[in-house]
Amino acid sequence: MKNTSSLILISALLAGAACNRLDNFFPEPEAGRHVGIVEWSASNVQTFADPAMGVITAPDTVTAGEPFQVTITTTGPNGCWRSAGAEKAVLGNLATITPFDRVEGEVCTQALVRLPRSVEVRFDVRGEAAIRAYGRRVLDGNLNAATERTVEKRIIVR
């Protein structure tokens, strides 16, 4: 009986060690990272109702094959929000960018903050191109009721 108990205990310890290795191999998503807010409105604060205004900043005309900078600016509901980068994909003459933000700190100003981040983009085909930012729309200041929102800017590639 003693050998059986020891065997069960050793098996449990080995299984636990294997689980810890798997957890490290497949880490959880970054805590506190959120898809950025590209449209914000609330009755008691400044409203950013036109998300195309200032969300995507890019040249109106670019040269095919040459990289250029695009700035995506999101809105943080208070001073604890920070820009946390972006993911991009370019297919033909369409660039899609998803901005991310995170919350840091415990004592925060209650003013809205603008959170810019730069992304390098390159279009190789001449003609009209589109830059799309995929983000969140928050109405009435309710983060829990956020919906998807896409903002687009069209440019010319020469």
Coordinates of all heavy atoms in Angstrom, one line a residue, residues 30-36 74 81-87 98-104 115-117:
E30 N -1.7 39.2 -22.9 CA -1.2 40.3 -22.1 C -2.4 40.9 -21.3 O -3.4 41.3 -21.8 CB -0.6 41.4 -22.9 CG 0.9 41.3 -23.1 CD 1.4 42.5 -23.8 OE1 1.7 43.5 -23.1 OE2 1.5 42.5 -25.0
A31 N -2.2 40.9 -20.0 CA -3.2 41.5 -19.1 C -3.3 43.0 -19.3 O -2.3 43.7 -19.5 CB -2.9 41.2 -17.7
G32 N -4.5 43.5 -19.4 CA -4.6 45.0 -19.4 C -4.5 45.6 -20.8 O -4.7 46.8 -21.0
R33 N -4.3 44.8 -21.9 CA -4.2 45.3 -23.2 C -5.6 45.2 -23.9 O -6.2 44.2 -23.9 CB -3.2 44.4 -24.0 CG -2.8 45.0 -25.3 CD -1.6 44.3 -25.9 NE -1.1 44.9 -27.1 CZ -0.8 44.3 -28.2 NH1 -0.9 43.0 -28.3 NH2 -0.4 45.0 -29.3
H34 N -6.0 46.4 -24.4 CA -7.4 46.4 -25.0 C -7.3 47.0 -26.4 O -6.4 47.9 -26.7 CB -8.3 47.4 -24.2 CG -8.3 47.1 -22.7 ND1 -9.1 46.1 -22.2 CD2 -7.6 47.5 -21.7 CE1 -8.9 46.0 -20.9 NE2 -8.0 46.9 -20.6
V35 N -8.2 46.6 -27.3 CA -8.3 47.3 -28.6 C -8.7 48.7 -28.3 O -9.5 49.1 -27.5 CB -9.4 46.6 -29.5 CG1 -9.7 47.4 -30.7 CG2 -9.0 45.2 -29.8
G36 N -8.0 49.7 -29.0 CA -8.1 51.1 -28.8 C -9.5 51.6 -29.1 O -10.2 51.1 -30.0
T74 N -5.9 57.0 -30.6 CA -7.1 56.5 -29.9 C -7.4 57.4 -28.7 O -6.6 58.3 -28.4 CB -6.9 55.1 -29.4 OG1 -5.7 55.0 -28.6 CG2 -6.7 54.1 -30.6
W81 N -4.6 55.6 -19.0 CA -4.5 54.9 -20.3 C -3.3 55.2 -21.0 O -2.9 56.4 -21.1 CB -5.8 55.1 -21.1 CG -7.0 54.4 -20.6 CD1 -7.7 54.7 -19.4 CD2 -7.6 53.3 -21.1 NE1 -8.7 53.8 -19.2 CE2 -8.7 52.9 -20.2 CE3 -7.4 52.5 -22.2 CZ2 -9.5 51.8 -20.5 CZ3 -8.3 51.4 -22.5 CH2 -9.3 51.1 -21.6
R82 N -2.6 54.2 -21.6 CA -1.4 54.4 -22.4 C -1.5 53.7 -23.7 O -2.1 52.6 -23.8 CB -0.2 53.9 -21.7 CG 0.0 54.4 -20.3 CD 0.6 55.8 -20.3 NE 0.9 56.3 -19.0 CZ 0.0 57.1 -18.3 NH1 -1.1 57.4 -18.7 NH2 0.4 57.5 -17.1
S83 N -0.8 54.2 -24.7 CA -0.8 53.5 -26.0 C 0.0 52.2 -25.8 O 1.1 52.2 -25.1 CB 0.0 54.4 -27.0 OG 0.2 53.7 -28.2
A84 N -0.4 51.1 -26.5 CA 0.3 49.8 -26.3 C 0.5 49.2 -27.7 O 0.4 48.0 -27.9 CB -0.6 48.9 -25.4
G85 N 0.9 50.0 -28.7 CA 1.3 49.5 -30.0 C 0.1 49.2 -30.9 O -1.0 49.7 -30.7
A86 N 0.4 48.5 -32.0 CA -0.6 48.2 -33.0 C -0.2 47.0 -33.8 O 1.0 46.6 -33.8 CB -0.8 49.4 -33.9
E87 N -1.2 46.3 -34.4 CA -0.9 45.2 -35.3 C -1.4 45.7 -36.7 O -2.4 46.4 -36.8 CB -1.7 44.0 -34.9 CG -1.2 43.4 -33.6 CD -2.0 42.1 -33.2 OE1 -2.9 41.7 -34.0 OE2 -1.7 41.6 -32.1
T98 N -4.9 47.6 -36.2 CA -5.6 47.5 -35.0 C -4.8 48.1 -33.9 O -3.7 47.5 -33.5 CB -6.0 46.1 -34.7 OG1 -6.7 45.5 -35.8 CG2 -6.8 46.0 -33.4
P99 N -5.2 49.3 -33.3 CA -4.4 49.9 -32.2 C -4.8 49.2 -30.9 O -5.9 48.8 -30.7 CB -4.9 51.3 -32.3 CG -6.3 51.3 -32.8 CD -6.3 50.1 -33.7
F100 N -3.8 49.2 -30.0 CA -4.0 48.6 -28.6 C -3.6 49.7 -27.6 O -2.7 50.4 -27.8 CB -3.2 47.4 -28.4 CG -3.7 46.2 -29.3 CD1 -3.1 46.0 -30.5 CD2 -4.8 45.4 -28.8 CE1 -3.6 44.9 -31.3 CE2 -5.3 44.4 -29.6 CZ -4.7 44.1 -30.8
D101 N -4.4 49.6 -26.5 CA -4.1 50.5 -25.3 C -4.1 49.7 -24.1 O -4.6 48.5 -24.1 CB -5.1 51.6 -25.2 CG -5.2 52.5 -26.4 OD1 -4.1 52.8 -27.0 OD2 -6.3 52.9 -26.8
R102 N -3.5 50.2 -23.0 CA -3.5 49.5 -21.7 C -3.7 50.5 -20.6 O -3.5 51.7 -20.8 CB -2.2 48.7 -21.5 CG -1.0 49.5 -21.2 CD 0.2 48.7 -20.7 NE 0.1 47.3 -21.1 CZ 0.8 46.7 -22.1 NH1 1.7 47.4 -22.7 NH2 0.7 45.4 -22.3
V103 N -4.1 50.0 -19.5 CA -4.3 50.8 -18.3 C -3.2 50.6 -17.3 O -2.8 49.5 -17.0 CB -5.7 50.4 -17.6 CG1 -5.9 51.3 -16.4 CG2 -6.8 50.5 -18.6
E104 N -2.6 51.7 -16.9 CA -1.4 51.6 -15.9 C -1.7 52.7 -14.8 O -2.1 53.8 -15.1 CB -0.1 52.0 -16.6 CG 0.3 51.0 -17.7 CD 1.5 51.4 -18.4 OE1 2.1 52.5 -18.1 OE2 2.0 50.6 -19.2
L115 N -4.1 59.1 -27.4 CA -3.0 58.1 -27.4 C -2.5 57.8 -28.8 O -3.0 56.9 -29.4 CB -3.5 56.9 -26.7 CG -4.2 57.1 -25.3 CD1 -4.8 55.8 -24.8 CD2 -3.1 57.5 -24.3
P116 N -1.5 58.5 -29.3 CA -1.0 58.3 -30.6 C 0.0 57.1 -30.7 O 0.7 56.9 -29.7 CB -0.3 59.6 -31.0 CG 0.1 60.2 -29.7 CD -0.9 59.7 -28.7
R117 N 0.1 56.5 -31.8 CA 1.2 55.5 -32.1 C 1.5 55.5 -33.6 O 0.5 55.7 -34.3 CB 0.9 54.1 -31.6 CG 0.0 53.2 -32.5 CD -1.4 53.0 -32.2 NE -2.1 53.8 -31.3 CZ -2.6 53.5 -30.1 NH1 -2.6 52.2 -29.8 NH2 -3.2 54.3 -29.3

